Amino acid sequence: MTERAGRGRRRARAPRADRGPADRFEPLPPLDNPLPPVEVLSADGIDKIKRAAFTLLHDAGIEFRSNEVLDILERNGAKVDRDSQIARMDRDTVEHYVALAPERIPFHARNRDRDTFIGGNRINFNTVGSPPNISDIDRGRRPGSYDALCDLVKLNHALGVAHLVGGALVEPMDLPVSSRHLQNAYALLRYSDRPIMVRSVSRFRAEDAIEMVAIARGVSRDQMLTEPSVLTNFNVNSPRRADEELLEGLMCFGESGQPVAITPFTLAGAMSPVSIAGALVQQTAEALGTIAFSQMANAGAPVLLGGFTSNVDMKSGAPAFGTPEYVKAVLAGGQISRHFKLPYRSSNVNASNAVDAQSTYESAMSLWAVIMGYANVVHHGLGWLEGGLTASLEKTVMDAEMIREWAETLKPVDVSDEELAVDAIMGVEPGGHFFGEAHTLERFEDAFYQPMVSDWRNYETWQEDGSRTATERANTVWKHLLESYEPPDMEPAIDEALQDYVARRSRELERAAS
Amino acid sequence: MTERAGRGRRRARAPRADRGPADRFEPLPPLDNPLPPVEVLSADGIDKIKRAAFTLLHDAGIEFRSNEVLDILERNGAKVDRDSQIARMDRDTVEHYVALAPERIPFHARNRDRDTFIGGNRINFNTVGSPPNISDIDRGRRPGSYDALCDLVKLNHALGVAHLVGGALVEPMDLPVSSRHLQNAYALLRYSDRPIMVRSVSRFRAEDAIEMVAIARGVSRDQMLTEPSVLTNFNVNSPRRADEELLEGLMCFGESGQPVAITPFTLAGAMSPVSIAGALVQQTAEALGTIAFSQMANAGAPVLLGGFTSNVDMKSGAPAFGTPEYVKAVLAGGQISRHFKLPYRSSNVNASNAVDAQSTYESAMSLWAVIMGYANVVHHGLGWLEGGLTASLEKTVMDAEMIREWAETLKPVDVSDEELAVDAIMGVEPGGHFFGEAHTLERFEDAFYQPMVSDWRNYETWQEDGSRTATERANTVWKHLLESYEPPDMEPAIDEALQDYVARRSRELERAAS
C-alpha cells in the first residue's frame, strides 16, 4: 500500500460524464467566512502602528492638493499650511471623524438578487481594474480596447464568481479619454448585473457614473443616497499626497452616499519605507487622515480602509506581489481596519508575466491572505497579471477556479448522521470499496466540488488528449463561455436611457475637449 | 494613480544584481507555526466523529491479517474473531492504549544540527515518497531508477527545504526488489544529512533500515531506542484492513523505538464513504484502532496519526488531491489528532499531470491546510505530481519556493522603532520616494524574501530573455543545483561500514530470492 493514486486499479462504477467545460455556472453565492480571521499582529503591535500613524499625522501631515479640501480640513480642526498644502491633525480629531464612518455598507445591484454588503466577515470579489493591456495565449499581449473590456465583463458574468464588476477591466485605449468612462460604465451595467465599481478621477466622471447607476437601477438620486450601489477607489499618491482630481471624486461620492475605498499606494522600499511595519504605519496614517477628511466633508459617508502594501524587489526596483511580505501586510491591514471598525479592501495580485506556476502561487498566497484576513472587497480578484499591467483571459478563469475552491472549502463540514455514514462503512467488507453502495449512489453526483479547469484523468489519457496544461484548458473555457454568453435581462427603456445618456454626455465632453 | 506596477516609472537606485539562480541556499530552519491552527470542526463535530469511530471499532472492528498481531490484541482486551481475523475493541480499551503514545517525538539526524521533533506547532516537510516514475521537462516521464533517486536526494539536500528525506523519492526500478531498500537507505543517508523516512514492508526491511541509521549516526541500537531517527509510514489498506507485512514493520519499529505514521488510505467515494465526515470517521477509527494495537505491542511506542483523506472524481473514479474536500479533511484531521494528543502527519498533494497552474493551486491549497492545520510531518512535501505516480524535478523546486515563502510569511512582523520607521517617513517629502534614503540603503539587501523561481522583471525584459515560464526557470534551478551539488560530510569509516552493510545484505537477500 503505497500512496499512489491507483488510477485504473479501482474504477468508479458511476457513469462517466463528458469532460468538456460547462455551458453555464451557477453564480457563486455571497461568501461569508465562518472561520475566525488570521491575525499576525499582537494587540501591542497594533497599538505601536497606530501610535506611529497618529504621530505622523500630527507632526508631518498629508498634502491635500485642493484648496476646497484644505478649507474643510481647517474648519474641522486640522492645522493647515497653505504654502505646502499640508494638513496636520491631532489624534482626537482623527479618531472622532474616523468613528463617524459606518462599519458596514449595504451594496446594491441592478439585479436585487445580487445585492450584497461590505463589512463583517463577507468577502466580495471584484474583477481586475485598470490594466492598459489585455492578453490571451492565442493573441498574446496587446493594448486594451472597448471590445476587450466588454469580453472581460461578459466572461466574468458567465463565470458568476465576481460579486462586483469594475472599474475598467481593461483600459479601452480606442476610446477618447474624455468620455471612455461612460462607455465603461455602460458595459459594466449592461453586460453584468452585479454592483459596480468605477474610477472617479474628477467630479464630472464621478457624477456621470452615479447618474448611470441610478438609471440602470431605475431609482432616484435621493434613493441612491441611502442605497450605495457604486464603489470607487481613492489612491493616495504615496507618500502623503492626495491629488486634486481624486479628491473631487471622493467628495462627489461622499455627497451621493456612495462608498470609496481609501487606498494608499505604499510599495515598501519605493513609496514607503523598506519594512512592512513602516509601510503599515504609512498606510494607516494616509488612510485614516483621508478618511477623517471624508467624514468632515460628509459625516457618515461610506468608506473602506484600503490596503495595497507590497514590497519592491530591492535588486531591480520592480514591484513584487503575492509575496510573504504582501501576505503579512494584508493580514495586518485587516486587523487595523477592524480595530477602527472600518470595512477593508485588499487585492488578489501577482507579478508574473505569464499564466504559469508563478502567477498561481502568488495569487494563491494573496487569496488565502485576503480571505483569512477578511478583506470585504477584493479588488483585482480575477484576471490580474504582470503586477496589474495586463488583464488576462486565462488568468480570469484560473482565478475563478481558485475562488470557487475557496468558497467550497469554507462550507462547514456536515456532521449529520447521514454524512457520518457509520452504517455505510459497516456495510463494506474489509479491503472492499464503496463505489456500488447505496450511500454512494444516492449522493455521488453532488458530493464533491466540480472543477472548471482541473483535469484529474490519468497521465496516458491526458497525453493522448494533447497534454494540455491548465492554462490551455482555461483558454478553452473562456472561449466557450464567450461563445455561449447571454446578457442578463434589462428593460429596453432602461437600456435606451443609458445609451442616450452615454451619447449625450459623450458629445458634450468630446466637444469640450476639442 | 491607478494600481499598476509602474515598472520603469520609478526605478530603484539600488544596485542590480545578476538574476541567475543562487549557488547554494541556506537550509530552511525548523518551521514552528506561531499562529493558532485553523479549525473547521466544532467541539460537537469532533465529538460526533469520535463517537462514530468508536462505534465502528466496537461493532465492526478492523481486520488484522496476522495471527501474531491477533494474539496481542486478544491478550489486551480486544474481541478477536479468528476466522475473519477481525478484532473489535471497546472505547475504554482504545482510549487507554492511545493515551500511552507520546505527544511529542524527538527526531534525530546524523548531522545533529538537523535534529528536530515531531509534535506541537512544528511543521516538518518531507520529500515525495514512492512514485514509480520520474519526470522533468527535458526528458519527460520515465520509470524511476537509482540514479534518479540519487538526483532527487541531492537536489533536496541542495535546496535545503526538506526537514526529512525519504522514503524512496522515486522507485529505483532498475534494482532488485528484494534489496533495493538497502540502496535507497544508503542514498538517503549519504547524500543528505537530515532525519530519514523509509518504507518498512516486512520485518527484514524495517530491521535493515534501522540498522543502517544506527551505523550512519554512529550510535548503538540501545541508544536508538531513546533517540528516534527513522520514520516509517503504515498505510491501513482501507476499508478496515491491516496487512501482515506492514504489521511486521510496525512492530519492528515499535520495538526499536522508531516512529510510525499510521495512515488510513481513505479516498472518499472509493475506499471510504462519499462524504468528508464519513471518511474522517473511518480514518479516525482505522488510525486509532491500529495505534491502540501499536501500544499493546510496545507501550509508549512513538506514532503519528496520519491523514490521507481526499476524494475521488465521481465522474471518472480518478482520485483528486488538493481539493476543497482535501483541505477540510486535513484541517479536521489535525483537530482530531490534537484531541487525542497525537502528532499528525499529512501531505502536500495534487493530481495534475504537468507542472502547471493546476499542480500549483492544488499544492497551494494543500500547503495552507497542512501548515495552518499543524501537520507535524508533511510527507510528499516536495516533488509529488500526478497523484503520486511521478516525482518531478521541476515540481520539487516549485514546492521549495512555496514552502520557503510560507516560512517567511510565518515570521512575526517586527514592530521595533527601527522598523516602524517614523523618522524615515517624515524624511521624505509628499509624492517623493524612499530609494535613496539612509533607512532604505541600510537594510534593502535583506529586507525582503528573495525568490528562487519568481521573475519580477518587466514584460519586455522577460520577453527578450525568452519568455520563460516559472516551470522552465525551475528547470534551470535544479540543473544548476545538481551541477554544483556537494555531499554533506561523512566519516569515511562510516561510509565504508554502510557500503559493507548494503553489499552483505544485498548478497544475502538476492541469494534468498533467487
Side-chain angles (χ1 to χ4, degrees):
Chain A
M1 284 296 90
T2 59
E3 288 162 1
R4 294 166 193 167
R7 291 153 169 172
R9 193 160 55 85
R10 309 203 191 197
R11 284 227 171 272
R13 291 190 197 148
R16 285 168 171 280
D18 188 81
R19 302 276 315 179
D23 263 9
R24 199 69 57 82
F25 298 99
E26 285 300 307
L28 189 68
L31 183 53
D32 297 319
N33 186 348
L35 302 172
V38 170
E39 307 199 322
V40 292
L41 294 176
S42 64
D44 178 60
I46 295 178
D47 193 58
K48 281 186 171 155
I49 289 170
K50 190 168 92 170
R51 279 190 288 127
F54 285 128
T55 300
L56 208 58
L57 285 170
H58 182 272
D59 293 358
I62 294 175
E63 178 187 356
F64 290 90
R65 308 186 89 180
S66 155
N67 288 323
E68 181 188 359
V69 167
L70 291 170
D71 290 346
I72 295 170
L73 281 159
E74 198 160 40
R75 278 204 303 277
N76 289 278
K79 278 177 61 179
V80 170
D81 178 314
R82 291 284 169 171
D83 288 339
S84 64
Q85 298 192 299
I86 284 178
R88 293 177 173 81
M89 289 173 253
D90 62 30
R91 176 171 178 160
D92 288 349
T93 302
V94 177
E95 287 188 320
H96 168 77
Y97 282 104
V98 166
L100 299 179
E103 190 169 358
R104 177 179 157 138
I105 306 166
F107 202 43
H108 296 273
R110 72 170 176 92
N111 175 354
R112 298 301 300 260
D113 291 343
R114 304 283 169 258
D115 284 359
T116 182
F117 66 87
I118 299 170
N121 65 343
R122 174 152 295 190
I123 320 296
N124 295 286
F125 281 92
N126 190 20
T127 59
V128 64
S130 299
N133 301 298
I134 173 99
S135 80
D136 60 73
I137 57 174
D138 303 310
R139 292 169 288 183
R141 182 205 213 229
R142 54 202 189 281
S145 65
Y146 183 66
D147 282 350
L149 187 157
C150 291
D151 277 352
L152 284 166
V153 178
K154 290 172 184 175
L155 175 59
N156 273 287
H157 181 73
L159 285 166
V161 168
H163 301 96
L164 326 177
V165 290
L169 281 71
V170 69
E171 200 63 41
M173 306 291 239
D174 51 347
L175 297 181
V177 173
S178 61
S179 63
R180 65 170 66 147
H181 65 287
L182 299 163
Q183 299 279 9
N184 183 34
Y186 177 78
L188 299 176
L189 291 166
R190 180 66 197 95
Y191 301 127
S192 167
D193 61 357
R194 304 266 165 164
I196 76 165
M197 176 169 172
V198 298
R199 278 187 292 160
S200 57
V201 181
S202 299
R203 179 172 281 276
F204 75 90
R205 290 197 181 88
E207 188 62 44
D208 280 335
I210 296 166
E211 190 62 32
M212 286 179 69
V213 171
I215 295 170
R217 288 194 54 212
V219 302
S220 68
R221 290 290 293 269
D222 261 5
Q223 192 171 339
M224 288 278 283
L225 271 176
T226 55
E227 294 187 358
S229 354
V230 49
L231 172 69
T232 196
N233 189 60
F234 177 95
N235 273 132
V236 179
N237 186 352
S238 303
R240 297 190 294 117
R241 172 178 283 172
D243 288 320
E244 181 164 25
E245 286 189 312
L246 291 174
L247 288 164
E248 285 180 17
L250 171 66
M251 286 188 285
C252 179
F253 265 64
E255 293 157 17
S256 310
Q258 303 307 310
V260 184
I262 312 280
T263 313
F265 200 53
T266 39
L267 286 177
M271 291 83 117
S272 71
V274 69
S275 64
I276 291 306
L280 287 168
V281 166
Q282 191 182 318
Q283 172 180 292
T284 305
E286 292 175 350
L288 292 184
T290 312
I291 289 170
F293 161 70
S294 74
Q295 303 301 311
M296 294 173 184
N298 299 283
V303 291
L304 293 81
L305 191 155
F308 199 71
T309 294
S310 193
N311 58 296
V312 297
D313 174 13
M314 296 313 293
K315 288 186 176 166
S316 66
F321 291 104
T323 57
E325 290 77 16
Y326 183 77
V327 170
K328 285 194 258 200
V330 169
L331 295 170
Q335 287 185 258
I336 292 165
S337 299
R338 292 191 294 281
H339 178 83
F340 286 103
K341 299 188 190 307
L342 292 166
Y344 180 46
R345 175 247 139 140
S346 186
S347 310
N348 171 21
V349 289
N350 72 88
S352 181
N353 290 299
V355 183
D356 62 356
Q358 181 187 335
S359 69
T360 310
Y361 63 70
E362 290 179 343
S363 267
M365 287 297 265
S366 301
L367 281 175
W368 95 261
V370 298
I371 292 170
M372 296 308 295
Y374 282 19
N376 304 117
V377 170
V378 183
H379 192 29
H380 311 305
L382 298 101
W384 152 301
L385 203 65
E386 276 182 52
L389 291 172
T390 289
S392 158
L393 288 157
E394 286 87 15
K395 186 65 163 63
T396 301
V397 174
M398 215 70 86
D399 285 327
E401 177 88 303
M402 289 198 278
I403 293 165
R404 281 191 182 270
E405 292 205 353
W406 264 98
E408 185 69 29
T409 300
L410 293 177
K411 289 183 188 164
V413 178
D414 182 348
V415 289
S416 63
D417 286 346
E418 295 71 37
E419 292 279 303
L420 290 170
V422 173
D423 290 343
I425 302 173
M426 291 201 196
V428 175
E429 60 187 8
H433 63 74
F434 290 73
F435 286 125
E437 297 301 306
H439 183 271
T440 307
L441 294 175
E442 280 159 19
R443 64 199 77 212
F444 78 92
E445 289 197 69
D446 304 313
F448 304 130
Y449 175 77
Q450 287 295 323
M452 287 185 293
V453 177
S454 305
D455 186 338
W456 297 329
R457 296 175 301 174
N458 67 33
Y459 184 85
E460 291 74 16
T461 311
W462 171 80
Q463 197 179 32
E464 280 161 25
D465 201 25
S467 303
R468 298 169 75 232
T469 65
T471 304
E472 291 167 320
R473 296 193 299 271
N475 177 277
T476 304
V477 172
W478 71 252
K479 284 179 182 166
H480 183 83
L481 289 175
L482 284 185
E483 275 162 23
S484 59
Y485 170 80
E486 285 175 28
D489 291 339
M490 177 175 264
E491 282 180 34
I494 285 182
D495 194 358
E496 203 174 315
L498 281 173
Q499 294 194 32
D500 286 351
Y501 187 91
V502 169
R504 175 173 65 79
R505 287 287 296 144
S506 294
R507 279 194 305 275
E508 289 171 14
L509 290 166
E510 283 158 34
R511 200 175 306 134
S514 65
Chain B
M1 282 299 90
T2 60
E3 289 164 0
R4 293 168 195 165
R7 290 153 170 173
R9 194 161 53 87
R10 309 202 192 198
R11 284 229 169 271
R13 291 191 196 147
R16 284 170 173 278
D18 188 83
R19 302 276 315 178
D23 262 9
R24 198 69 58 82
F25 297 99
E26 285 300 307
L28 189 68
L31 182 53
D32 296 319
N33 186 348
L35 303 171
V38 171
E39 306 200 323
V40 292
L41 295 176
S42 64
D44 178 59
I46 294 178
D47 194 56
K48 281 186 171 154
I49 289 169
K50 189 169 93 171
R51 279 190 289 127
F54 285 129
T55 300
L56 209 57
L57 285 170
H58 182 271
D59 293 357
I62 293 174
E63 179 188 354
F64 289 91
R65 308 185 90 179
S66 155
N67 287 325
E68 182 188 357
V69 168
L70 291 171
D71 290 346
I72 295 169
L73 281 159
E74 198 160 40
R75 279 205 301 277
N76 289 277
K79 276 177 63 179
V80 170
D81 179 313
R82 292 284 168 170
D83 287 339
S84 65
Q85 297 193 299
I86 285 178
R88 294 176 172 83
M89 288 174 254
D90 63 28
R91 176 171 178 161
D92 288 349
T93 302
V94 176
E95 287 188 322
H96 168 76
Y97 283 104
V98 166
L100 300 179
E103 191 169 359
R104 177 179 158 140
I105 306 166
F107 201 43
H108 296 273
R110 73 169 174 92
N111 174 353
R112 297 301 299 260
D113 291 343
R114 303 284 169 258
D115 284 358
T116 182
F117 67 87
I118 300 170
N121 65 342
R122 174 152 294 190
I123 321 294
N124 295 286
F125 281 93
N126 191 19
T127 60
V128 64
S130 299
N133 301 297
I134 173 99
S135 80
D136 60 73
I137 57 174
D138 303 310
R139 292 168 288 182
R141 181 207 213 229
R142 55 202 187 280
S145 65
Y146 184 66
D147 281 352
L149 186 157
C150 291
D151 277 354
L152 284 165
V153 178
K154 291 173 183 174
L155 175 59
N156 274 286
H157 182 73
L159 285 165
V161 169
H163 301 96
L164 326 177
V165 290
L169 281 73
V170 69
E171 200 62 41
M173 306 291 237
D174 52 348
L175 297 182
V177 173
S178 60
S179 62
R180 64 171 68 147
H181 64 287
L182 299 163
Q183 299 279 8
N184 184 32
Y186 178 79
L188 299 176
L189 291 166
R190 180 68 198 93
Y191 302 126
S192 167
D193 60 357
R194 304 265 166 164
I196 77 165
M197 176 170 170
V198 297
R199 278 187 294 159
S200 56
V201 181
S202 300
R203 180 173 280 276
F204 75 91
R205 291 197 181 87
E207 187 62 42
D208 281 335
I210 296 166
E211 190 62 32
M212 286 178 70
V213 171
I215 295 170
R217 289 194 55 214
V219 301
S220 68
R221 289 292 292 272
D222 259 5
Q223 193 172 339
M224 289 278 284
L225 270 177
T226 54
E227 294 188 358
S229 352
V230 49
L231 171 69
T232 195
N233 189 60
F234 177 96
N235 273 133
V236 179
N237 186 353
S238 303
R240 299 191 290 118
R241 173 179 282 171
D243 287 320
E244 182 164 21
E245 285 190 313
L246 291 173
L247 288 165
E248 284 180 18
L250 173 65
M251 286 187 286
C252 179
F253 265 63
E255 291 156 20
S256 310
Q258 303 306 310
V260 184
I262 311 280
T263 313
F265 199 54
T266 39
L267 287 176
M271 290 83 117
S272 72
V274 68
S275 64
I276 291 306
L280 287 168
V281 167
Q282 191 183 317
Q283 172 181 291
T284 305
E286 292 175 351
L288 293 184
T290 312
I291 289 169
F293 161 70
S294 75
Q295 303 302 311
M296 294 173 184
N298 299 284
V303 290
L304 295 81
L305 191 155
F308 198 71
T309 294
S310 192
N311 58 295
V312 297
D313 174 13
M314 294 314 291
K315 288 185 176 165
S316 66
F321 291 105
T323 58
E325 291 77 17
Y326 182 77
V327 170
K328 286 194 258 199
V330 168
L331 295 170
Q335 288 184 257
I336 292 165
S337 299
R338 292 191 294 282
H339 178 84
F340 287 104
K341 301 189 189 308
L342 292 166
Y344 180 45
R345 174 245 139 144
S346 186
S347 309
N348 171 21
V349 289
N350 71 89
S352 182
N353 289 300
V355 184
D356 62 355
Q358 180 186 335
S359 70
T360 310
Y361 62 70
E362 290 180 342
S363 266
M365 288 296 265
S366 301
L367 281 175
W368 95 262
V370 298
I371 292 169
M372 296 308 294
Y374 282 19
N376 304 115
V377 170
V378 182
H379 192 30
H380 310 305
L382 299 102
W384 152 299
L385 203 64
E386 276 181 51
L389 291 173
T390 289
S392 158
L393 289 156
E394 286 87 14
K395 187 65 165 62
T396 300
V397 173
M398 215 70 86
D399 286 325
E401 178 88 305
M402 289 198 278
I403 293 165
R404 281 192 183 270
E405 292 205 351
W406 263 99
E408 185 68 28
T409 301
L410 294 176
K411 289 183 189 164
V413 178
D414 182 347
V415 290
S416 62
D417 285 347
E418 295 72 35
E419 292 279 303
L420 290 169
V422 174
D423 290 342
I425 302 173
M426 291 201 196
V428 176
E429 60 186 10
H433 64 72
F434 290 74
F435 285 124
E437 297 301 306
H439 183 271
T440 307
L441 294 175
E442 279 159 19
R443 63 198 77 211
F444 78 92
E445 288 198 71
D446 303 313
F448 304 131
Y449 175 76
Q450 288 296 323
M452 286 186 292
V453 177
S454 305
D455 186 338
W456 296 329
R457 296 175 302 174
N458 67 31
Y459 184 84
E460 291 74 14
T461 311
W462 170 80
Q463 196 178 34
E464 281 161 24
D465 201 25
S467 303
R468 299 169 76 232
T469 65
T471 303
E472 291 166 321
R473 297 193 299 272
N475 177 276
T476 304
V477 172
W478 71 251
K479 284 178 182 166
H480 184 83
L481 289 175
L482 283 185
E483 275 162 22
S484 59
Y485 169 81
E486 284 175 29
D489 292 337
M490 177 176 264
E491 281 179 35
I494 285 182
D495 194 358
E496 201 173 318
L498 282 173
Q499 293 194 32
D500 287 349
Y501 188 90
V502 170
R504 175 174 65 79
R505 287 286 295 144
S506 294
R507 279 195 304 275
E508 289 171 12
L509 290 166
E510 283 159 34
R511 200 176 304 136
S514 63

